[in-house]
Amino acid sequence: MARSLPRNDQIADQLDLLGDLLEIEGEASFRVIAYRRAATLIRDTPGPVAKLALDGRAKDLPGVGKTIEEKIVQMVDDGEMHALTKRKQLIPAGVVSFLRLPGLGPKTARRVWQELGITTLEGLRDAAQAQRLRGLSGLGPKTEENVLAALDAKPQATGRALLGRALPALLGVASVLREHPAAEQVSEAGSARRRKETVRDLDIIATASDPVALIDYFTRLQWVQEVVAKGGTKATVVSHDGLRFDLRVVPPECYGNLLQHFTGSKDHNIALREDAVRRGLSVSEYGVQEVESGKVFTARTEDELYRRLGYRFIPPELREAGGELDAARRNDLPELVELGDLHGDLHSHSTWSSDGRDDIDAMARAARERGYEYLAVTDHSHYLREGRFEAQRREIESLNVRLAPFKVLSGVEVNIRPDGSLDMKDEELAVCDWVMASVHSRVERGKDATDRVLAAMESPHVDCIGHLTGRRINRRAAAEIDLERVLEQALATGTFLEINSQPDRLDLRDTHARLAGEAGVKIVVSSDAHRTDTLAYVELGIGQARRAWLTRDHVLNTRPWPEIEPLLRR
Ligand code: DGT
Ligand code: CA
Ligand code: CA
Ligand code: ZN
């Protein structure tokens, strides 16, 4: 048996932690960025990176150089990267956890530690309560309030993988299983099928002519690191990148019942069963029993099952016990927006932003290949100073001559400053086709998070607010935003709100987007892509839009650009 290699997610976690520690130490930011970039890449790599590193081939991966490869080998040999071991001796673990609090960046974490001598979350709470944080310049009562609120909030979700990471893996496994000769039907199930933003484990339901053969094949796939359980009808495995998969092989005559059951959600199932009881039916994962006659009904498809129970088919994204059963019974389900409805993307970056990988030409061509008619290039305002703004407009203009009828929209992602003002001149914003405005620093000074956004919406140049709460799932909590006031202001000023499709943002989140849609605010589903291949992230955003009950009409960029232009305020 080979020695057990660190999984990709474990390698990525150590690199991320190393980045955090270096940042607290005040290390040059390009190294920090390099570690974080490598971590993201390694997390997304399908094969075992540790094995590549041992063969000296990990450095061939983009973003992984010789130093990082050496660090991975150190993990194999000693369990931990040496740099990490060293830094951990220098920085208390509690100080690292400060980074997870909203509004507390590495620089502040460092000062709280070095200038106030605080090294634990408890100590931080005491200092905030005793109003000692405001003694540091730049920190005020609001910081203390935020720290206390964050400490009182539930601990950050852990042990749940991002949908954006898990879903491609799940769809890949399902399609590999589908090709096996013993496989008949194969479907993803569980929270990933419902497109929930994070998932604990991944569920697959299948029918097979030879269940044992299919299960055996599943447990022997090359990406499997560990077989946790294996039986005649089901198995659980863990992949090299730390994802846990459950496969169940079920009888074809009740495939509909079991797929429905294992798609969940649990709350949806419970509500469904309670509703059925009132109609004299008892629902289990294996069938529906008429209580009076004792007759059992099984379903080969979910559609059949829902119909038997008196509902229209309910799309998986709606199965969260949020009124979908009533709506399905009344034949009043929304016609949910689909990926194919999108006509363009209104938030993207190019090499004009330092973290963009591909130039505008490449981004535009990739967008056109997706079937889009337009792409808004919205690089960050602070990279467009000293003549660069004008130069970029000229580049876009000449590209449009070449790419017509495809349209590159001349846009910008303007930063909202702490006082709510915009980080770019009105004259410049005025000549843009499309302006996204977003908050990128959450250190609250003066105005609170809601006021900043409300102020930005006052500008007639701002078309859309990007990633409203600034959350990074599993990393940074959402800013406390008064959604009701934001929605009111959006309606009053004609501003749109974004569902940012980055896997760790998905911001607006599903519940907020649903409220926005109900209020009548139009939503932009955008990729915020920094490279051609991440334009595809809109699939995740569309999943959240569907979870938010949004139809095609709710989503602005399901329209051709000539229909959007008259809706803008300028
Ligand atoms: P996860 O894995 O936490 O991201 O979320 P799910 O929804 O995938 O949950 P999981 O994998 O534990 O179970 C898959 C489905 O099985 C779940 O959505 C509904 C069904 N299920 C699991 N436990 C129960 C239960 O106790 N009662 C009912 N009615 N259904 C359950
Ligand atoms: Ca699951
Ligand atoms: Ca499961
Ligand atoms: Zn952006």
Side-chain angles (χ1 to χ4, degrees), residues 278-468:
R278 271 177 261 148
R279 292 159 211 278
L281 299 169
S282 161
V283 176
S284 82
E285 50 266 57
Y286 303 106
V288 179
Q289 186 173 40
E290 233 173 43
V291 175
E292 220 178 75
S293 66
K295 267 207 299 228
V296 174
F297 169 85
T298 60
R300 287 181 170 267
T301 67
E302 281 187 327
D303 195 43
E304 227 179 300
L305 174 65
Y306 278 114
R307 265 191 294 120
R308 175 70 182 80
L309 294 171
Y311 306 106
R312 289 301 166 112
F313 176 81
I314 302 175
E317 295 92 333
L318 295 186
R319 302 183 196 169
E320 296 290 350
E324 71 279 10
L325 287 170
D326 283 344
R329 191 170 296 284
R330 293 193 315 265
N331 189 17
D332 197 19
L333 286 169
E335 214 169 287
L336 299 178
V337 61
E338 289 171 12
L339 187 62
D341 292 334
L342 296 182
H343 279 248
D345 196 328
L346 291 168
H347 185 169
S348 73
H349 295 268
S350 71
T351 42
W352 288 82
S353 292
S354 81
D355 52 354
R357 194 195 64 182
D358 296 311
D359 62 17
I360 302 179
D361 186 41
M363 292 296 286
R365 286 172 195 281
R368 192 171 60 178
E369 230 147 81
R370 292 183 60 81
Y372 292 162
E373 294 148 16
Y374 54 89
L375 173 73
V377 174
T378 53
D379 282 306
H380 295 290
S381 47
H382 60 273
Y383 295 116
L384 299 174
R385 304 221 173 101
E386 287 153 9
R388 286 170 56 84
F389 178 79
E390 293 75 13
Q392 195 190 35
R393 298 313 104 172
R394 284 193 298 275
E395 182 180 325
I396 291 173
E397 225 171 275
S398 72
L399 264 177
N400 273 325
V401 174
R402 281 199 280 125
L403 297 176
F406 184 87
K407 190 158 171 58
V408 182
L409 299 169
S410 147
V412 70
E413 180 174 15
V414 61
N415 191 37
I416 304 174
R417 295 201 195 98
D419 65 358
S421 66
L422 301 173
D423 182 31
M424 194 173 240
K425 289 197 271 285
D426 274 352
E427 305 89 84
E428 290 175 326
L429 295 175
V431 302
C432 291
D433 296 318
W434 173 257
V435 175
M436 300 275 318
S438 358
V439 171
H440 286 100
S441 59
R442 290 283 169 190
V443 185
E444 311 302 355
R445 248 171 253 153
K447 296 195 172 208
D448 80 1
T450 306
D451 288 332
R452 276 166 92 170
V453 173
L454 296 183
M457 286 197 273
E458 296 286 348
S459 162
H461 304 297
V462 169
D463 299 307
C464 181
I465 299 294
H467 47 73
L468 179 66

Side-chain angles (χ1 to χ4, degrees), residues 160 189-192 194 196 198-203 246 248 260-267 269-270 273:
R160 297 189 66 87
S191 49
R194 304 195 311 276
K196 208 172 140 96
T198 61
V199 301
R200 186 181 52 85
D201 69 357
L202 295 162
D203 303 280
D246 269 351
R248 281 188 183 74
Q260 192 284 325
H261 173 80
F262 285 109
T263 295
S265 68
K266 190 172 161 181
D267 289 342
N269 289 353
I270 290 170
R273 288 174 184 198

Side-chain angles (χ1 to χ4, degrees), residues 205-271:
I205 301 293
T207 59
S209 56
D210 183 350
V212 174
L214 188 65
I215 284 167
D216 200 53
Y217 176 65
F218 172 68
T219 58
R220 287 170 195 275
L221 289 167
Q222 66 106 29
W223 48 268
V224 170
Q225 162 110 0
E226 187 192 346
V227 178
V228 178
K230 184 178 175 183
T233 59
K234 60 182 185 183
T236 299
V237 304
V238 179
S239 72
H240 280 294
D241 48 357
L243 295 170
R244 177 182 282 255
F245 291 78
D246 269 351
L247 168 67
R248 281 188 183 74
V249 182
V250 307
E253 59 278 9
C254 50
Y255 179 68
N257 305 80
L258 283 146
L259 179 58
Q260 192 284 325
H261 173 80
F262 285 109
T263 295
S265 68
K266 190 172 161 181
D267 289 342
H268 171 85
N269 289 353
I270 290 170

Side-chain angles (χ1 to χ4, degrees), residues 89-133:
Q89 285 159 1
L90 300 171
I91 306 170
V95 175
V96 181
S97 58
F98 295 172
L99 287 182
R100 311 226 176 271
L101 301 177
L104 241 187
K107 288 198 191 75
T108 312
R110 173 184 171 82
R111 296 179 58 205
V112 167
W113 168 36
Q114 306 242 305
E115 296 176 31
L116 298 176
I118 296 167
T119 57
T120 62
L121 287 172
E122 266 317 298
L124 185 63
R125 180 198 296 275
D126 292 346
Q129 262 159 0
Q131 307 188 340
R132 287 205 294 130
L133 296 184

